[in-house]
Amino acid sequence: MEDISLQAKIDVLSEEQVLIQDSAVAFIARDPELKQVRANRFVQPGFDRGLWREIADAGWLGFLVPEDEGGVGLGFADLSLVLIQLGKGLVPVPFVATAVLAARTLTRADDAALRAELLPRLIGGDWLPALAWQEARASLDPTAREVVCTNGRLHGTKCFVPDAGGADAFIVSAAEAGGTALYLVERDAPGVTLAFEQRVDGGFFAEIRFADTPVGKQLVAPERGAAVLAAALDEARFAVSAELLGVMTRALEISVDYLKQRVQFDKPIGSFQALQHKAVDLFIQSEVSRSVVLQTAALFDGDADAERRAVAASQVKARCSDAALKIGKDAIQLHGGIGYTDEANIGLYLKKAMVLGAWLGSASAHRARYAELTLGGAQ
Amino acid sequence: MNQSIDYNALDDDAFRRLVHDWMVANYPEELRFPPERMHWEQCGRWYLKLAEKGWLAPGWPREYGGMGLDANKLLIFMDVCESHGVGRTPDQGMTMVGPLLIQHGSAEQKAYYLPRILAGEHIWCQGYSEPGAGSDLASLRTSAVRDGDHYVVNGHKIWTTLAMDANMIFMLVRTQNTGKKQEGITFLLVPLDTPGITVRPIINLGMHDEFAEVFFDDVRVPVANVVGGENNGWTIAKALLGHERIFIGSPKFATLAMYRLQSLARAVGLFDDPLFVSRYTALKLDVEDLGAAYRRFVAVLKRGGHIGAEVSMLKIWNTETQQRITELMLEAAGESAGIWGGVATADGPVRPAGEFIGSRPTTIYGGSNEVQRNILAKAALGLPG
Ligand SMILES: Cc1cc2nc3c(=O)[nH]c(=O)nc-3n(C[C@H](O)[C@H](O)[C@H](O)COP(=O)(O)OP(=O)(O)OC[C@H]3O[C@@H](n4cnc5c(N)ncnc54)[C@H](O)[C@@H]3O)c2cc1C
């Protein structure tokens, strides 16, 4: 499929980045018909463990883990090149949930020995932890309130935990004296119950209930827990935005291709100006999104200030969630009847945009947060 | 067939109460706000109950067994149904074939087919589109070749809504290959149990088998099943499209979506948010104002007048409003926008993802909105091209 993005025309990549991108492009090129996506839909755990291992072998799981902790020690710009391709290929793995959200929580764990024990297992692909932080629909708040830890026992419910059915352990935030602490909880610990909701993209969200569940090791003390989570969440918001960029880019490529192939009234429908204008509007959406992803990657790679990162994360998540949904739904329109079938792959992109657009905060939630964080001066 | 009751004589409130009370008493609770188009096995009994009551065809004239409602009463009828979550039945006999036959059918065809629609004996589907003939419908290739007092039909229809539930199909076939494409098309009524017909369901984006492909392999159809004469199908179909577009231009679906949005917003507490209230109200007025436009067009029909291509404006407004309503539902649902199950509300579960996906094709079928805009540009504005 022809790459219609402006990247090759106007952006510069380092030699190393070209290699990263090429290997990610090659990785998704193996499944052009999205057979793996379809094979894993609506069956637990909703992702492919074999693919996960291959991704581990490619080294991508350790991108954001420092070299001295056993990782690759690369940056967000580098990672985004992989994420864009995973988005384009709709690769059914919990990359952002595990290799960004959970991994970046673990890289901030208090105890170096614990980090040294857990991170290599995650990076190697043998151990998949799922982070359970959220306690209410549409909440962006990293402070735990509902799930409480008393005397080493957890009580309460977490929601919208992605792909938890295949997790080997949970990282759970819990309220206790002094703030929000983070604990490791074994997958089969007593008192843990999972209730699954089928997502439209074929994966699952879990609601996880803890009833007198003994916690494992403490990863982060209550004084730092909320801040650690907030930082990891903003990094994950950036990462999922890059994935959404891949989703929207490929949806547009497929649609443009279709406009050239499909003939009605003895002409390719791409010759009709109404459709040309629509396609161009979508192209602009995707390139503005790409610009914001690039800008945010640079900021994350160069600036550790939590507030500036939060503003940038909300900006990029709002843009990419919005643009991916717009492109996804207009792509259906451009396809006509065939676009409204399960058989056609274009619909899979719309569904992925629906899921990722809402996860970790929708466009409107992030616009509201952006306003909260930035309007102070303006008022 | 003649219905004796003149509902238009009732005052609006009395009529609303009458319809509401009957719906509440008779519509099956478990079918309220169905998440997708219902199949016959789910709603057949309800269809027959409506038929028995004489309420299957609110818009048809009373002399043909309809309720003969004027535009105002039609809107009230619709609003009551949508607020109660009365699901749509396989209704193409009522919305399409019936009105067409009333206008263009022979006396025998009216006498034979109309009562069978009203009795629920004939369930119709629409066989126009083909893989190569969607927006460019006139390029259709399914052929009907005359053989004595039969036609022999061969070809392939697609996107046929609820074909698996229907026992009759009204279709466009090619009876002539010379001259303008539009001039060689014939309108044909075909029983689906005729040998040589195969129906293959297609799964839609909502994971539901709502439409199908229909294959015709040497299917013999009596010549008497032609409506409006051989090679007149295009004219007939255009007249029918008028009915289809006024139906999909009615505020019915947007009204339903609005009720669902309301239930959802109550459940998640969004009516406390002034920004939401403003957006909700804008959409509400988009639907209300559509009602005003719809009344104006239906009044033309009731006066016996002719509605031209202008009616496309209703379809564009209605479908795009409905889509915006479901988009706001997605926004209101947070992460639940990405699951099939949706959100529990006082009026039962609301499934924003299903509503959003289900509203996508309204801008594709019945003549895509792009094509409607092309038509309006020429027919209403007289633009060249
Ligand atoms: C849910 C659903 C139910 C349906 N039910 C039925 C049914 O019961 N019976 C039946 O016969 N058909 C049915 N259809 C088919 C429907 O009528 C066609 O999908 C529609 O006519 C569009 O044709 P197409 O799908 O081939 O798309 P195409 O015609 O290929 O259109 C693809 C895109 O090109 C655009 N386009 C095409 N021509 C132009 C132009 N000149 N200018 C600008 N843009 C243009 C379209 O707007 C669309 O965006 C149904 C479709 C759907 C989705």
Side-chain angles (χ1 to χ4, degrees):
Chain A
M1 182 114 359
E2 202 182 331
D3 179 0
I4 53 175
S5 89
L6 289 178
Q7 190 204 45
K9 282 190 199 144
I10 64 175
D11 299 331
V12 249
L13 296 184
S14 70
E15 266 173 45
E16 189 181 19
Q17 286 178 330
V18 172
L19 291 178
I20 293 170
Q21 175 162 288
D22 287 350
S23 68
V25 168
F27 185 82
I28 66 157
R30 299 180 320 178
D31 185 24
E33 287 161 34
L34 307 184
K35 291 200 174 114
Q36 288 162 340
V37 180
R38 291 182 180 275
N40 286 286
R41 285 194 311 165
F42 311 125
V43 286
Q44 283 286 359
F47 65 91
D48 191 315
R49 199 81 195 214
L51 277 176
W52 187 252
R53 209 159 288 279
E54 290 179 46
I55 283 175
D57 292 343
W60 298 338
L61 300 181
F63 264 34
L64 293 183
V65 177
E67 274 177 292
D68 54 10
E69 306 255 357
V72 188
L74 290 173
F76 289 90
D78 307 318
L79 182 75
S80 70
L81 299 170
V82 170
L83 284 163
I84 290 168
Q85 298 305 320
L86 294 180
K88 280 186 156 190
L90 300 177
V91 182
V93 290
F95 193 93
V96 176
T98 307
V100 183
L101 190 52
R104 294 296 289 175
T105 303
L106 288 173
T107 58
R108 294 177 170 99
D110 295 327
D111 180 15
L114 199 52
R115 293 201 301 270
E117 178 199 330
L118 297 175
L119 283 167
R121 289 172 65 200
L122 186 154
I123 295 168
D126 320 311
W127 183 67
L128 255 148
L131 182 74
W133 65 277
Q134 196 172 351
E135 300 184 335
R137 182 185 294 125
S139 165
L140 304 181
D141 183 4
T143 305
R145 298 168 213 279
E146 296 288 317
V147 171
V148 177
C149 183
T150 32
N151 304 323
R153 300 266 162 176
L154 286 181
H155 292 271
T157 305
K158 297 287 185 184
C159 54
F160 300 112
V161 185
D163 306 303
D168 299 309
F170 304 115
I171 299 169
V172 185
S173 60
E176 62 179 57
T180 296
L182 290 166
Y183 289 100
L184 208 56
V185 174
E186 286 314 313
R187 163 78 215 226
D188 46 11
V192 180
T193 14
L194 276 70
F196 294 102
E197 285 275 9
Q198 215 175 60
R199 297 194 317 237
V200 295
D201 67 345
F204 297 87
F205 274 135
E207 196 178 77
I208 309 183
R209 254 190 44 193
F210 303 98
D212 206 30
T213 301
V215 295
K217 299 206 166 103
Q218 189 181 71
L219 296 167
V220 180
E223 300 72 43
R224 289 180 63 232
V228 163
L229 263 183
L233 280 167
D234 279 331
E235 292 174 345
R237 285 171 186 134
F238 162 74
V240 80
S241 301
E243 190 176 349
L244 278 164
L245 175 59
V247 171
M248 69 177 96
T249 304
R250 179 52 57 90
L252 181 58
E253 286 170 359
I254 294 172
S255 302
V256 170
D257 201 48
Y258 190 75
L259 293 183
K260 293 176 185 168
Q261 307 302 326
R262 170 71 171 167
V263 172
Q264 287 287 275
F265 304 101
D266 305 315
K267 293 184 198 102
I269 57 173
S271 64
F272 300 128
Q273 227 160 43
L275 302 191
Q276 292 180 349
H277 287 190
K278 189 172 280 230
V280 168
D281 286 344
L282 301 183
F283 172 71
I284 295 171
Q285 287 286 335
S286 73
E287 287 306 319
V288 169
S289 302
R290 192 177 313 279
S291 312
V292 185
V293 166
L294 284 168
Q295 170 178 292
T296 313
L299 182 128
F300 272 66
D301 279 335
D303 188 343
D305 179 74
E307 178 143 346
R308 279 193 294 272
R309 280 178 161 217
V311 171
S314 280
Q315 181 182 352
V316 73
K317 183 65 167 60
R319 175 59 58 205
C320 291
S321 298
D322 236 6
L325 194 68
K326 229 174 240 151
I327 292 176
K329 70 190 190 202
D330 282 353
I332 304 295
Q333 181 69 21
L334 291 171
H335 277 75
I338 190 77
Y340 192 59
T341 61
D342 181 52
E343 210 168 297
N345 282 339
I346 190 65
L348 300 176
Y349 287 86
L350 173 63
K351 289 171 176 172
K352 186 58 97 183
M354 290 166 72
V355 172
L356 296 185
W359 184 49
L360 301 180
S362 66
S364 56
H366 280 291
R367 281 191 292 265
R369 180 174 182 243
Y370 183 91
E372 227 169 78
L373 291 169
T374 59
L375 264 184
Q379 276 168 334
Chain B
M1 280 212 284
N2 206 333
Q3 283 222 37
S4 50
I5 306 169
D6 179 7
Y7 294 101
N8 293 328
L10 296 174
D11 80 51
D12 285 357
D13 287 341
F15 178 67
R16 180 181 288 278
R17 258 196 317 277
L18 176 81
V19 178
H20 177 262
D21 291 350
W22 191 80
M23 290 293 168
V24 169
N26 289 282
Y27 187 69
E29 188 64 28
E30 68 279 9
L31 297 184
R32 288 186 66 195
F33 296 108
E36 55 228 352
R37 268 313 275 279
M38 294 185 289
H39 281 300
W40 180 255
E41 60 188 33
Q42 287 168 281
C43 66
R45 284 181 56 178
W46 164 243
Y47 186 108
L48 297 177
K49 194 173 247 179
L50 264 180
E52 196 187 318
K53 176 75 178 166
W55 285 10
L56 195 60
W60 291 16
R62 279 158 63 200
E63 65 202 279
Y64 293 110
M67 293 171 80
L69 300 185
D70 62 28
N72 204 42
K73 292 287 192 299
L74 261 181
L75 280 170
I76 294 173
F77 191 86
M78 246 177 239
D79 186 63
V80 172
C81 288
E82 301 318 322
S83 66
H84 190 61
V86 174
R88 213 178 147 187
T89 55
D91 54 14
Q92 305 200 65
M94 182 270 280
T95 58
M96 296 207 236
V97 188
L100 176 95
L101 289 175
I102 289 171
Q103 242 179 326
H104 298 278
S106 66
E108 296 79 40
Q109 286 171 334
K110 285 188 224 187
Y112 179 75
Y113 291 109
L114 297 180
R116 284 174 172 74
I117 294 172
L118 290 177
E121 194 181 324
H122 281 176
I123 304 300
W124 287 88
C125 63
Q126 178 190 28
Y128 285 12
S129 307
E130 299 179 5
S135 297
D136 183 13
L137 184 57
S139 67
L140 64 91
R141 297 212 314 239
T142 296
S143 67
V145 177
R146 188 75 182 255
D147 176 24
D149 53 5
H150 281 76
Y151 288 105
V152 180
V153 178
N154 279 287
H156 177 186
K157 296 291 179 181
I158 195 167
W159 319 128
T160 320
T161 297
L162 296 180
M164 57 293 272
D165 291 353
N167 51 19
M168 297 292 296
I169 185 167
F170 59 99
M171 58 190 296
L172 293 175
V173 292
R174 181 155 302 287
T175 36
Q176 180 179 295
N177 285 306
T178 52
K180 275 184 69 184
K181 289 194 282 193
Q182 287 82 352
E183 286 166 5
I185 293 173
T186 298
F187 195 101
L188 203 55
L189 309 176
V190 183
L192 275 174
D193 62 2
T194 315
I197 299 179
T198 314
V199 174
R200 189 183 76 93
I202 303 173
I203 306 294
N204 70 15
L205 207 56
M207 307 304 290
H208 188 53
D209 57 343
E210 196 178 288
F211 47 26
E213 289 179 278
V214 186
F215 300 90
F216 296 83
D217 184 13
D218 285 337
V219 175
R220 295 182 68 82
V221 183
V223 170
N225 289 20
V226 169
V227 182
E230 189 173 278
N231 296 333
N232 273 333
W234 191 253
T235 317
I236 301 280
K238 268 170 70 178
L240 181 49
L241 275 177
H243 285 284
E244 184 178 0
R245 278 172 201 159
I246 195 148
F247 179 70
I248 44 185
S250 81
K252 185 176 169 70
F253 304 124
T255 303
L256 173 65
M258 221 45 219
Y259 279 115
R260 300 270 74 193
L261 174 62
Q262 186 184 56
S263 304
L264 175 68
R266 280 194 191 128
V268 299
L270 273 170
F271 281 116
D272 299 331
D273 173 357
L275 175 61
F276 177 82
V277 171
S278 159
R279 296 174 67 190
Y280 174 89
T281 309
L283 290 168
K284 173 100 184 144
L285 289 176
D286 285 344
V287 179
E288 293 292 326
D289 297 353
L290 172 64
Y294 177 76
R295 270 191 195 93
R296 209 170 141 213
F297 279 97
V298 173
V300 178
L301 287 183
K302 294 287 164 186
R303 288 198 302 268
H306 172 74
I307 295 185
E310 323 78 70
V311 71
S312 289
M313 65 174 265
L314 297 184
K315 195 250 171 180
I316 292 174
W317 187 284
N318 178 36
T319 53
E320 293 175 12
T321 300
Q322 187 197 349
Q323 291 186 342
R324 284 195 304 275
I325 298 168
T326 66
E327 283 153 27
L328 188 54
M329 287 169 69
L330 274 197
E331 251 191 83
E335 290 80 1
S336 299
I339 63 176
W340 293 116
V343 178
T345 79
D347 308 299
V350 172
R351 301 177 177 85
E355 300 282 343
F356 170 82
I357 288 174
S359 75
R360 294 302 108 196
T362 60
T363 48
I364 296 171
Y365 61 53
S368 79
N369 285 24
E370 285 80 11
V371 169
Q372 303 301 311
R373 283 185 166 90
N374 290 345
I375 292 171
L376 282 173
K378 284 199 203 115
L381 304 182
L383 291 172

